[in-house]
Amino acid sequence: MAVTHFPFKAGRLNLFTITLVAILCTAFYLVGVWQHSVGKAILFVGGNYGCTTSTATFQTSSETAVVDLDFTVHHTAADLQVIPKARRPYLPPCDPKLYEYTPCEDRERSLQFDRDRLIYRERHCPAAGEILKCRIPAPAGYKLPFSWPESRDFAWFSNVPHKELTVEKKNQNWVRFEKDRFRFPGGGTMFPRGANAYIDDIGKLINLADGSIRTAVDTGCGVASWGAYLLSRNIVTMSFAPRDTHEAQVQFALERGVPALIGVLASVRLPYPSRAFDMAHCSRCLIPWAQSDGMYLIEVDRILRPGGYWVLSGPPINWENHWKGWERTAEDLQDEQSKIEAVAKSLCWKKLKQKGDIAIWQKPTNHIHCKKNRKVFKFPNFCQGQNPDTAWYTKMEPCLTPLPEVSDIKETAGGQLLNWPERLTSVPPRISSGSLKQITAQNFTENTELWRKRVAYYKALDNQLAEPGRYRNLLDMNSFLGGFAAALVDDPLWVMNIVPVEADFNTLGVIYERGLIGTYQNWCEAMSTYPRTYDFIHGDSVFSMYKDRCEMEDILLEMDRILRPQGSVILRDDVDVLVKVKNIAEAMQWECRIADHEKGPHHREKVLVATKQYWTAPASEEENQEKQTSEN
């Protein structure tokens, strides 16, 4: 059978089909472009992934369009309780009663431990199964703290709703309650004329003005007025006090914008390296210095720099004039002072001066003579085989921490430090001496310059960090050599530098030699601080460091606990890690975006910028009634 061909008709059909398909494709493309341009902002904008800024910019083939995006909060604190179940956050708010929850200093848990030597007031953290999986609320009515330097003198009552100290310490002029705020007159038990006048008295005995004294520690700090007023003299103080019957001492200090931690001298070392502080201070801190074989003075000796000073005021100093007011016998106080003097001598300290209510001792610059006089002082012996910088759950021992060897009696053990501010950028002795292997003077110089550039980039990403005075209390979760803090030293803020106990190098001693402060921390546990401590948190490769050690969620919940409402976070890490962090952070209702590395988009390391939203616990019925009464 013959086959007949119709070439003309078939050609017309194929042309018609092609034309129809082309028209349909063009139409769908144009519809898609129109929907995209008016309805959505793209995911990647200007180097940021997951844009949460107030405007989003994107480009089509012919023009640039700007769409205003509204990211303001459209709910109140009470709304958090009535969000439909399908929209309820993955990590919900905790019970409102937990607004001051400090996991490792929880009062109920502490009662399970020995009261001898205040062991029950040390860190006792919850077990893995006891860690809360919720967000700690701010108290109802919480406000952003006053800006520094006004915050030194004022704090909002709604932020620290405790009046106990205004009653207990009324005569000492620690703190006053005035309408909706607390006022801190700068008084103290042993400085009724105020902290400034008291510091002036110390300055008449030792030089506080030449930069040789930069770092200080205040044991039993109260509301940290001593440290607050030293800041104006370029002396930065690590203040600490236990969480005890004097409610919220450390919390008051932090609200004032003063460095502080919850801590106590008990059975374990303080979380600082050896030779950290130029000056240690106790003003009626009620520490039994002469008891337990002088163990607490031995610990102060460990953290005190060669040639450093110990300042003591209050019992038993000047007991001759105070014994009746202290409600103790003259014999008892005289005996206590004699025992303190004996312990100090056994540590080879020299008593410099005692004038009025203040006594000052000085630690030797090396241990040449001290080793020779062990024949006279049989106790304490020098420690053997201990790492003097190890101080995380490390038991105190009644032995004297040996200073690094010197070849001459005039030489300073461990190396001479420059005065502040030259100390900040000079190569620290721990590095120049080679005691930190694989970290050289060149590494230090390059690291300092690296962080100067990184912090400049951070300020471009976070306008609030660039605004002087917006942030006061900063935390660096993995500080290494302290470069982040050093780059911010001219801003009106302070940085708590953290060296994780899991870090490859114990560099906290270097940080102190730069004239900065910090502490050790295991981020699988909570920090020894109150909720809402920090305005800003920075972390470099923290989550990579803790991979497979503990849950990312627990670390982020702890960050949320200690971050103030409307505070910010900058984390740098591998992009895959940050994507996981971002998912959890958004479940905590943080606003997040991921930006490129400062050197461009071709680096796997990225920078996550996040802000914690403002929200509080709902007001109680009693608080609502008080508010209605005041309004009427």
Side-chain angles (χ1 to χ4, degrees):
M1 180 178 180
V3 178
T4 305
H5 297 277
F6 301 95
F8 175 74
K9 291 183 179 180
R12 266 198 332 183
L13 181 62
N14 288 341
L15 180 61
F16 175 78
T17 302
I18 291 170
T19 303
L20 179 62
V21 170
I23 293 172
L24 288 174
C25 288
T26 303
F28 283 123
Y29 173 77
L30 292 173
V31 169
V33 169
W34 176 79
Q35 286 181 333
H36 182 73
S37 64
V38 300
K40 297 180 180 179
I42 62 172
L43 185 63
F44 177 79
V45 181
N48 294 332
Y49 302 76
C51 179
T52 58
T53 53
S54 59
T55 62
T57 304
F58 57 91
Q59 292 185 343
T60 64
S61 59
S62 59
E63 64 180 353
T64 299
V66 178
V67 179
D68 289 330
L69 301 178
D70 181 10
F71 285 97
T72 57
V73 178
H74 295 287
H75 60 78
T76 63
D79 295 333
L80 295 174
Q81 308 302 314
V82 295
I83 294 175
K85 187 172 182 180
R87 296 179 58 201
R88 189 174 298 277
Y90 170 61
L91 293 169
C94 300
D95 189 305
K97 296 178 181 178
L98 295 175
Y99 69 94
E100 286 183 350
Y101 181 57
T102 54
C104 297
E105 282 81 17
D106 181 65
R107 288 176 175 171
E108 293 184 8
R109 183 178 294 105
S110 70
L111 297 177
Q112 305 171 21
F113 297 90
D114 194 348
R115 299 182 72 86
D116 181 50
R117 290 186 57 190
L118 300 180
I119 290 174
Y120 75 107
R121 285 185 179 166
E122 293 180 327
R123 284 176 59 87
H124 302 291
C125 298
E130 299 174 325
I131 296 175
L132 297 180
K133 300 289 186 179
C134 54
R135 295 175 288 131
I136 301 299
Y142 178 86
K143 303 177 183 179
L144 286 181
F146 292 93
S147 297
W148 184 266
E150 190 180 6
S151 66
R152 187 187 68 181
D153 302 323
F154 294 100
W156 297 113
F157 170 74
S158 57
N159 293 8
V160 194
H162 296 288
K163 296 181 182 178
E164 292 89 341
L165 277 179
T166 65
V167 178
E168 291 184 33
K169 297 296 181 180
K170 182 178 180 180
N171 295 331
Q172 280 79 42
N173 216 23
W174 281 22
V175 56
R176 304 284 186 186
F177 177 66
E178 299 175 351
K179 295 182 179 178
D180 59 352
R181 65 195 64 183
F182 293 107
R183 181 171 64 86
F184 302 92
T189 308
M190 295 309 301
F191 34 96
R193 294 183 297 121
N196 244 346
Y198 174 74
I199 293 169
D200 285 339
D201 290 340
I202 295 174
K204 295 172 185 175
L205 305 177
I206 55 176
N207 195 333
L208 299 178
D210 66 352
S212 61
I213 296 177
R214 164 63 182 173
T215 55
V217 60
D218 192 10
T219 57
C221 65
V223 296
S225 288
W226 189 71
Y229 281 86
L230 277 173
L231 285 168
S232 62
R233 305 176 191 233
N234 281 323
I235 297 174
V236 60
T237 305
M238 177 68 77
S239 299
F240 72 85
R243 181 166 185 170
D244 60 6
T245 54
H246 292 164
E247 190 68 55
Q249 294 180 82
V250 167
Q251 192 173 19
F252 275 128
L254 293 162
E255 280 296 306
R256 299 176 71 184
V258 180
L261 285 171
I262 299 172
V264 63
L265 270 167
S267 68
V268 299
R269 287 178 170 180
L270 296 172
Y272 317 117
S274 65
R275 314 193 315 273
F277 299 99
D278 300 306
M279 177 169 55
H281 174 257
C282 163
S283 177
R284 200 170 187 179
C285 60
L286 304 181
I287 295 172
W289 296 111
Q291 295 180 18
S292 304
D293 297 322
M295 187 85 77
Y296 302 136
L297 270 183
I298 289 173
E299 175 63 3
V300 170
D301 178 84
R302 183 186 70 85
I303 63 174
L304 200 59
R305 189 159 292 143
Y309 303 98
W310 184 53
V311 181
L312 176 64
S313 66
I317 303 303
N318 201 12
W319 59 267
E320 297 90 342
N321 294 317
H322 292 298
W323 65 273
K324 290 183 179 179
W326 290 338
E327 298 181 350
R328 291 174 60 183
T329 66
E331 293 76 15
D332 178 36
L333 288 161
Q334 185 178 22
D335 180 63
E336 182 182 352
Q337 178 151 354
S338 297
K339 289 179 178 177
I340 289 175
E341 304 269 13
V343 174
K345 278 187 178 181
S346 73
L347 301 176
C348 307
W349 291 5
K350 177 183 178 182
K351 188 173 185 181
L352 288 183
K353 296 177 182 177
Q354 179 172 328
K355 185 176 181 180
D357 296 337
I358 300 172
I360 300 180
W361 285 262
Q362 185 174 26
K363 179 178 176 176
T365 55
N366 58 64
H367 274 163
I368 288 180
H369 282 322
C370 199
K371 289 181 178 179
K372 292 179 180 178
N373 71 18
R374 287 307 89 185
K375 295 178 181 179
V376 177
F377 297 100
K378 304 296 183 183
F379 184 88
N381 292 317
F382 282 99
C383 301
Q384 301 293 327
Q386 274 192 339
N387 183 338
D389 289 345
T390 301
W392 185 252
Y393 295 122
T394 304
K395 289 291 183 182
M396 289 184 193
E397 294 186 24
C399 58
L400 181 56
T401 300
L403 290 173
E405 295 288 341
V406 296
S407 56
D408 187 271
I409 191 65
K410 296 181 180 180
E411 189 179 346
T412 299
Q416 182 66 44
L417 292 177
L418 297 179
N419 291 352
W420 181 264
E422 290 78 15
R423 186 183 297 189
L424 180 69
T425 53
S426 65
V427 179
R430 276 176 165 90
I431 292 178
S432 60
S433 67
S435 61
L436 280 174
K437 296 179 180 179
Q438 299 180 14
I439 301 178
T440 65
Q442 183 178 349
N443 296 150
F444 172 79
T445 302
E446 291 173 350
N447 184 266
T448 299
E449 178 61 19
L450 172 67
W451 280 104
R452 187 188 64 79
K453 293 178 180 178
R454 285 181 170 180
V455 167
Y457 180 60
Y458 289 168
K459 288 184 175 182
L461 293 175
D462 184 352
N463 292 332
Q464 295 188 103
L465 182 62
E467 180 186 341
R470 169 60 184 90
Y471 298 139
R472 174 64 184 171
N473 303 359
L474 277 68
L475 175 71
D476 190 5
M477 298 176 69
N478 184 20
S479 299
F480 189 40
L481 302 178
F484 172 76
L488 289 164
V489 74
D490 292 327
D491 292 356
L493 53 81
W494 58 270
V495 178
M496 183 68 75
N497 292 282
I498 301 294
V499 172
V501 293
E502 294 80 10
D504 293 334
F505 302 101
N506 184 351
T507 53
L508 193 55
V510 168
I511 289 168
Y512 273 95
E513 287 180 343
R514 300 188 73 174
L516 306 171
I517 59 170
T519 185
Y520 296 112
Q521 177 66 34
N522 176 351
W523 287 115
C524 292
E525 298 180 1
M527 195 174 175
S528 289
T529 194
Y530 282 88
R532 301 170 300 282
T533 288
Y534 295 101
D535 305 300
F536 181 94
I537 298 177
H538 173 256
D540 179 12
S541 306
V542 172
F543 290 95
S544 289
M545 177 184 293
Y546 281 91
K547 182 181 178 181
D548 302 326
R549 285 191 166 105
C550 52
E551 293 186 31
M552 180 182 289
E553 176 184 284
D554 293 337
I555 298 176
L556 282 163
L557 281 170
E558 173 62 6
M559 292 170 63
D560 184 82
R561 184 185 75 88
I562 63 179
L563 184 65
R564 295 190 194 279
Q566 297 184 313
S568 293
V569 173
I570 288 183
L571 300 172
R572 60 188 311 122
D573 216 315
D574 183 84
V575 62
D576 290 343
V577 173
L578 290 185
V579 168
K580 295 177 182 177
V581 169
K582 182 173 180 288
N583 289 337
I584 298 173
E586 288 176 340
M588 299 191 304
Q589 296 186 323
W590 288 8
E591 295 180 353
C592 303
R593 71 182 190 273
I594 297 177
D596 283 325
H597 189 277
E598 59 270 10
K599 291 184 179 180
H602 301 298
H603 289 256
R604 283 196 59 83
E605 186 176 76
K606 303 293 181 184
V607 178
L608 181 141
V609 183
T611 301
K612 178 179 176 178
Q613 291 187 25
Y614 176 89
W615 66 278
T616 71
S620 65
E621 292 183 9
E622 182 180 349
E623 289 169 329
N624 285 328
Q625 289 175 358
E626 289 180 359
K627 184 177 180 181
Q628 290 176 359
T629 302
S630 63
E631 289 176 350
N632 295 333

